[in-house]
Amino acid sequence: MRKIALMSLVASSVLMAGGFKIPETSTNAVALGAANIAHNQNNADAAYYNPAKMVFMSDENHIEADLMYIGLDKVKWKPATGNEIESESEDFYIPSLHYVSPALGENGARVGLSIVVPGGLSKRWNGAPAVYTAKEFTLETMEINPTAAFKVNDKLGVAVGFRILKSHGIAKATPMTDVIYQDMSGDGTDFGYNLALAYQPTNDLEIGVTYRSKISMQIDGDADLAHPGNSTIPTVLAANYTGSVNIPLPAALNAAIAYTFSTQTTLEFVYERTYWSAYKTLNFEYSDPYAEAVFGRVHDKSWKDTNTFRFGLTQELDDLTLMAGLVIDETPVPSKTIGFELPDSDTTSVSLGGRYKINDKVDVGLSALYSMHDSRTISASDANDNGLVGEFSDGDILIVSAGLGYKF
């Protein structure tokens, strides 16, 4: 199906560690490991990370454009018996845009807009057995997120937003031989919402809470499928079949606290809970009865909810801001259902960055994050649904981001 490819990805896709979500969608977010929920440095990316912070920003237009490079290392698979194989390395360039309006009316309400890439994946394998199920899995997404923020009082702001998620995906597999194959690609548009709160009880202490809703993705499209058939399986010829799949993009809750010392040093801690247990099964459904009989299967996923811990450090100087981050993340994918399309594992990420104010209107930033994946062993006792016994290793990720901010 045109969409099924995409969805087996997208459903995993909302975590850069623990799936393939990309939480870092601005230069400051890369520098801080996305620990920028409670504290914001008067930057336009508040529109995405905590839009309630917009009511405390300077009364002017804020706009920021970022360009991010993502490099994915090869993932290695060493089976308990047989030869080691590895995936291809991948490189991507991803833009983003954030905007915050000046105060609207006497109550200080603000509107914001973010256009970001919240998740993605590209995993290509050339060796068996990976090509049987994941010769290519590619996901591209774009989120358009308009928000509105309201000042309750001088210490409290709240916000609400509307999420428009557009996706494109490709999935290719050659189960056992080239005579049997699946070639799928598709596009989708789905919707959700987000809520935010920003509380500043003192000048030094800041608290932030954000919630991004689950998005139920209904995917409809086409696929080229082929199977020669046998005494028990009907023949499916290479043709354009229609089908559908429904995948939940899970909800995520962030709670953050930040404290700024007299040295203009800010420490922030973010706890993130992602409700991946909503991803129970992946069900491929085809309108053609023969295609449904051969390729229409319910795949167990049984993912688990995950915890992420983010630590951010910000040091304000005269015209220069220095930032660093640490992220500890866990995978939602259980050993029983892990496969080659997403050989995920727990990760630890470190990040650094800086932002320089050229004048009162323009600033520039540069940052980098390196995410280290733990090796992951699948034992025979895990009874993996894909028959995997062995070890996944490597697959680290490098992110470099450059940004330009402008106020007017």
Side-chain angles (χ1 to χ4, degrees), residues 385-400:
D385 291 348
N386 300 299
L388 300 182
V389 179
E391 182 185 68
F392 287 108
S393 61
D394 295 350
D396 293 347
I397 299 170
L398 172 66
I399 303 177
V400 179

Side-chain angles (χ1 to χ4, degrees), residues 123-153:
K123 194 59 61 186
R124 296 179 173 88
W125 298 84
N126 293 317
V131 294
Y132 300 159
T133 56
K135 184 176 182 179
E136 177 183 349
F137 269 71
T138 298
L139 170 68
E140 300 170 357
T141 68
M142 180 182 72
E143 180 177 347
I144 302 171
N145 185 200
T147 52
F150 308 92
K151 182 181 285 189
V152 178
N153 54 47

Side-chain angles (χ1 to χ4, degrees), residues 36-38 45-56 145-152 156-163 193-199 207-213 252-256:
N36 57 338
I37 305 296
D45 64 347
Y48 188 75
Y49 286 96
N50 186 345
K53 296 290 293 185
M54 297 190 298
V55 299
F56 300 115
N145 185 200
T147 52
F150 308 92
K151 182 181 285 189
V152 178
L156 179 65
V158 295
V160 61
F162 182 61
R163 304 174 64 195
Y193 67 90
N194 61 296
L195 305 172
L197 177 147
Y199 180 50
I207 296 170
V209 180
T210 65
Y211 178 80
R212 303 190 80 82
S213 73
L253 174 69
N254 283 267

Side-chain angles (χ1 to χ4, degrees), residues 307-348:
N307 300 310
T308 305
F309 304 95
R310 305 182 186 276
F311 304 86
L313 171 65
T314 302
Q315 179 62 60
E316 296 275 1
L317 303 174
D318 290 339
D319 294 321
L320 179 65
T321 301
L322 301 176
M323 294 165 281
L326 171 68
V327 184
I328 301 171
D329 202 355
E330 60 183 0
T331 177
V333 187
S335 295
K336 188 177 189 319
T337 63
I338 194 170
F340 287 107
E341 78 282 0
L342 185 63
D344 197 37
S345 64
D346 295 342
T347 64
T348 301

Side-chain angles (χ1 to χ4, degrees), residues 16 22-24 30 68-71 367-371 397-401:
M16 186 85 175
I22 305 175
E24 299 85 6
V30 171
M68 185 166 64
Y69 163 81
I70 299 180
S367 58
L369 178 146
Y370 191 71
S371 182
I397 299 170
L398 172 66
I399 303 177
V400 179
S401 181

Side-chain angles (χ1 to χ4, degrees), residues 245-322:
V245 65
N246 186 282
I247 299 291
L249 195 65
L253 174 69
N254 283 267
I257 185 168
Y259 188 82
T260 301
F261 298 88
S262 59
T263 57
Q264 295 304 301
T265 304
T266 301
L267 295 176
E268 178 163 347
F269 168 70
V270 179
Y271 167 71
E272 179 178 331
R273 181 72 169 175
T274 304
Y275 298 97
W276 277 116
S277 58
Y279 191 22
K280 296 178 172 59
T281 61
L282 179 66
N283 186 11
F284 298 90
E285 297 180 334
Y286 296 90
S287 58
D288 182 272
Y290 296 108
E292 175 67 20
V294 178
F295 292 99
R297 295 186 298 157
V298 177
H299 300 263
D300 181 41
K301 293 299 179 182
S302 299
W303 284 21
K304 64 176 184 177
D305 296 340
T306 59
N307 300 310
T308 305
F309 304 95
R310 305 182 186 276
F311 304 86
L313 171 65
T314 302
Q315 179 62 60
E316 296 275 1
L317 303 174
D318 290 339
D319 294 321
L320 179 65
T321 301
L322 301 176

